[in-house]
Amino acid sequence: MSDATKDDALSGDLPDADILKALAPYMARGGGAAAGVIRIRDVERRQLVRCDVVRFTERRTETQRTAFGTEDLSALPLYEGSLADHPLPAPEGPGKLTLIRSGSYRLVPCPCDNGTQQCASCSGSGRHPCSCRNEPPTCDVCLDVAPCTQCETTGRRRTRTTKARPAATGPRATAPGAQRITCAVCGTAEAACPRCSGRGRIRCPRCDGRGHETCARCSGRGVGPHEVCGGRGSLSHWVEGTVEYANEKAPLSLPRPDWPDKVRDRLAGTARWQRRDIPPGGGVPAGVDHEHRAAVSAHLARGTVELSRRVTLETCPLARVELIDDPNRVFYVFPGARRLEVVPTLSNQLKRRLIAAGAVIVIIVVLILWLAA
């Protein structure tokens, strides 16, 4: 939706007499002059134009395709030579058609070991060294306390000069009276840490004491699928043609509207638009403002991939009216469903006065606050 420049030809669509008649109720409500003595300061007539073109298009593309292993393309239609020159039946509507260029399919063996390759993560060993380096980690329960009150991992009982602290229930805990079990080293009952059984160290939870971990990438096999062929051992190559049919909508606005939002909303909801038919391949119809004709004509230009089109072009006159007896308002007048619609708005002069008054009020409030501080 948009506005055009002033055109005297629009006076026939919105004559002054009809505009004054439509404005009379607004002047009466505002306490203004009677309908017979309303004086117009200025009236600017514009033509609103909106045009939608829905083009039914066809786009053809060719792509070199590759797939792992053998690809079954038997269900797809073939075409010879260039896809652009290949004849196709008339489409029923939007959609996509896939074709294969005749003779383009090739099955190429992959230079790998039947679709497998040595695992790059573990270099084919199937495992990784564990971070424990074959050294069992220190027990986290009896850390800093005696793993066994009798032998302390030596396996030999000896006389202690000081009483050994009991194993705790958590890391670095030394609570007295914690549970003790039979030592696996010296065999003394109720003398060893319950977690390490008196050894002072535990089996590595990552490798279970083996010193190495299974490679997660190849699950310990040492080989994995060849990435180039996806483990299939071969590759398929062919040329694929794609034909896409679509409805592409292109709206046109001429030029950007400069009226208030409420005017635009009323125009979209209640204005009576006059539809002008454009036959297939036709140009700009009569009745479109001369300032808009060039833009509409360019909008209707046939596209290179266009098969057919559907055009909707509508026009509506709009008058912007200023009155001598009501300088604080500007009126927008346009045809509605049953009568002329009027949208009153504040004039720029009144807006400037209100802004100035608001600024004065702000200054006064600031001064009062400053003096009171």
Side-chain angles (χ1 to χ4, degrees):
M1 189 186 306
S2 61
D3 62 309
T5 56
K6 186 183 297 184
D7 192 335
D8 293 339
L10 295 176
S11 299
D13 296 326
L14 287 176
D16 287 353
D18 291 348
I19 292 176
L20 292 174
K21 184 178 178 180
L23 292 177
Y26 292 86
M27 294 299 294
R29 288 198 296 268
V37 294
I38 297 176
R39 296 176 296 173
I40 295 178
R41 180 193 303 276
D42 181 57
V43 57
E44 179 183 358
R45 293 176 176 84
R46 307 173 180 181
Q47 185 183 62
L48 314 183
V49 177
R50 59 187 186 188
C51 179
D52 289 332
V53 178
V54 180
R55 294 180 171 87
F56 185 60
T57 60
E58 176 192 79
R59 300 182 186 275
R60 301 189 180 195
T61 56
E62 287 182 304
T63 307
Q64 180 69 51
R65 295 289 306 278
T66 298
F68 298 145
T70 303
E71 191 77 8
D72 184 9
L73 305 174
S74 59
L76 299 178
L78 301 177
Y79 69 94
E80 301 283 348
S82 173
L83 180 64
D85 301 327
H86 182 67
L88 290 171
E92 297 181 358
K96 181 178 179 179
L97 178 64
T98 302
L99 307 93
I100 305 298
R101 182 193 290 176
S102 179
S104 66
Y105 180 82
R106 294 181 297 118
L107 182 63
V108 180
C110 182
C112 62
D113 185 12
N114 195 28
T116 61
Q117 63 178 355
Q118 178 178 288
C119 178
S121 178
C122 64
S123 300
S125 66
R127 61 187 188 181
H128 298 282
C130 181
S131 57
C132 72
R133 300 180 181 180
N134 282 324
E135 297 180 4
T138 303
C139 176
D140 58 355
V141 173
C142 63
L143 185 66
D144 288 345
V145 300
C148 176
T149 59
Q150 299 298 320
C151 68
E152 292 187 321
T153 74
T154 65
R156 300 186 300 276
R157 300 184 185 184
R158 60 189 178 86
T159 303
R160 299 179 55 88
T161 56
T162 60
K163 186 176 180 180
R165 289 176 294 172
T169 57
R172 294 188 176 277
T174 58
Q179 180 184 5
R180 289 279 178 161
I181 64 173
T182 300
C183 179
V185 181
C186 66
T188 304
E190 299 183 356
C193 167
R195 177 164 173 78
C196 65
S197 300
R199 298 183 181 90
R201 293 182 178 274
I202 60 173
R203 189 181 296 272
C204 176
R206 293 175 59 88
C207 67
D208 196 29
R210 296 190 303 270
H212 62 266
E213 301 176 75
T214 301
C215 177
R217 186 170 183 178
C218 66
S219 300
R221 298 192 305 271
V223 295
H226 189 211
E227 295 179 356
V228 174
C229 65
R232 301 291 185 87
S234 61
L235 294 166
S236 295
H237 302 283
W238 71 93
V239 177
E240 182 176 284
T242 303
V243 183
E244 294 185 84
Y245 300 102
N247 287 322
E248 300 179 4
K249 184 176 181 179
L252 176 67
S253 296
L254 298 172
R256 289 180 59 85
D258 59 359
W259 48 75
D261 291 343
K262 69 175 183 177
V263 177
R264 183 182 64 242
D265 295 340
R266 288 281 294 278
L267 284 168
T270 63
R272 185 177 75 247
W273 294 83
Q274 181 180 358
R275 183 164 181 166
R276 302 179 184 273
D277 295 328
I278 300 180
V284 183
V288 175
D289 186 274
H290 68 276
E291 294 290 340
H292 290 155
R293 297 189 69 83
V296 173
S297 178
H299 187 61
L300 298 177
R302 183 178 180 84
T304 56
V305 295
E306 179 181 321
L307 297 180
S308 61
R309 66 171 59 182
R310 185 172 67 252
V311 179
T312 301
L313 188 146
E314 297 174 305
T315 61
C316 180
L318 171 70
R320 180 183 183 277
V321 185
E322 296 181 9
L323 302 178
I324 296 177
D325 301 307
D326 193 349
N328 294 329
R329 291 190 292 178
V330 174
F331 299 89
Y332 290 85
V333 184
F334 54 89
R338 293 178 296 178
R339 60 181 183 274
L340 289 183
E341 298 284 341
V342 178
V343 182
T345 63
L346 299 180
S347 66
N348 292 334
Q349 178 182 352
L350 179 58
K351 291 178 182 178
R352 286 193 294 267
R353 291 205 306 267
L354 293 175
I355 292 173
V360 171
I361 293 173
V362 171
I363 293 173
I364 294 174
V365 170
V366 170
L367 288 175
I368 291 175
L369 294 176
W370 180 73
L371 292 174

